[in-house]
Amino acid sequence: RFFGRLLAGTGALLIAATANAQGTSNAPARPWKIGGALGATIPLGDFSDGADLGWHLGGLFEYKQPSFPVTWRGELTYHRNGLKDDYFSSQIPEVGNLSGNFSMFNFVANAVYPFGDKAKTARPYIIGGLGLYKLKATASYQGIDISDSQTKFGINVGGGFEFALSGFDTFVEMRFHSVFTDNSSTNFIPISFGIKF
C-alpha cells in the first residue's frame, strides 16, 4: 500500500509539472536577460608593442523592448594582458626581467541589431556602443613597483552569432574597441563566448 500511494503521488506530481511546463511555454518571453562572457583579448597597434595576448571575463544585462528591433546591452568586463619584457628591454636596456601586466575594467552600453528569422536557431547580429574604460599598467623590477592608470571614454563595434537553445542562449562574437587614451588610442579585439538566460 505504501509503494502504491508513493507511485500514485509521483504520477500526480509529474502530471502537474507537465501541465505547468506547458502553461509556461505559452507565456510571453521576458524582455530582459542576464549572462556572461569570456575569451581572448588581442592587443592592436601601439598597445600590442608592449602587451601580450590576454583574456577577459565579464557580465551583461540585455533589455529588448517589444516591437523594437534593437536590443540594449550593458556590460561590465575585466581584461588582463601580460607585459612584453623583451619590448621594454629593447627600449630601456638597463631594464631586464621586468614583470607586470595591463588590466582594464570597461563599462559599456551597446545596441545589438539581429538579422534573419527569429525562428531560426542561429542568427547573426551587429553590435556597437560607447563606454568608460579604466586602464592600469603595473610593473615590477628588482623589488620596485611602478603603476599608472587612467580612465577614458571609448567606442566599440563588431558582430557575432547567437544560438537559441532550450532555456538559454549562447553566442560568439568579435569586436573592435578603441579607447581614447593619451598620446595614442588603446586598441584591442576581444573574441568572446557567452551565455544568456
Side-chain angles (χ1 to χ4, degrees), residues 43-52 84 86-88 102:
L44 301 174
D46 292 342
F47 186 31
S48 68
D49 290 340
D52 282 321
K84 286 183 177 177
D86 55 349
Y87 169 77
F88 290 96
F102 294 99

Side-chain angles (χ1 to χ4, degrees), residues 1-2 8 19 25 37 39-40 51 56 71 106-107 115 120 133 139 157 164 185 194:
R1 291 183 179 179
F2 172 77
S25 64
H56 63 271
T71 297
N106 56 287
F107 308 85
F115 297 94
K120 291 186 176 181
Y133 299 73
V157 64
S185 296

Side-chain angles (χ1 to χ4, degrees), residues 67-148:
S67 72
F68 194 68
V70 172
T71 297
W72 304 109
R73 183 198 290 183
E75 299 172 341
L76 170 61
T77 308
Y78 174 76
H79 300 262
R80 189 180 181 94
N81 297 74
L83 296 182
K84 286 183 177 177
D85 179 47
D86 55 349
Y87 169 77
F88 290 96
S89 297
S90 67
Q91 299 297 309
I92 311 174
E94 296 79 9
V95 174
N97 298 321
L98 183 72
S99 62
N101 64 77
F102 294 99
S103 61
M104 187 183 338
F105 274 106
N106 56 287
F107 308 85
V108 179
N110 286 321
V112 183
Y113 186 84
F115 297 94
D117 189 352
K118 293 181 180 180
K120 291 186 176 181
T121 302
R123 297 181 71 193
Y125 62 88
I126 56 173
I127 180 172
L130 304 172
L132 190 65
Y133 299 73
K134 181 175 177 58
L135 303 92
K136 184 177 182 180
T138 60
S140 179
Y141 173 67
Q142 295 184 349
I144 301 174
D145 295 327
I146 305 169
S147 68
D148 184 33

Side-chain angles (χ1 to χ4, degrees), residues 21 27 53 63 66 82 85 97 102 112 124 136-137 155 168 179-180 196:
L53 175 69
Y63 176 75
D85 179 47
N97 298 321
F102 294 99
V112 183
K136 184 177 182 180
I155 60 174
F168 64 96
V179 187
F180 308 135
K196 297 182 292 186

Side-chain angles (χ1 to χ4, degrees), residues 28-41:
R30 287 192 322 242
W32 55 268
K33 292 180 180 179
I34 59 173
L38 56 84
T41 299

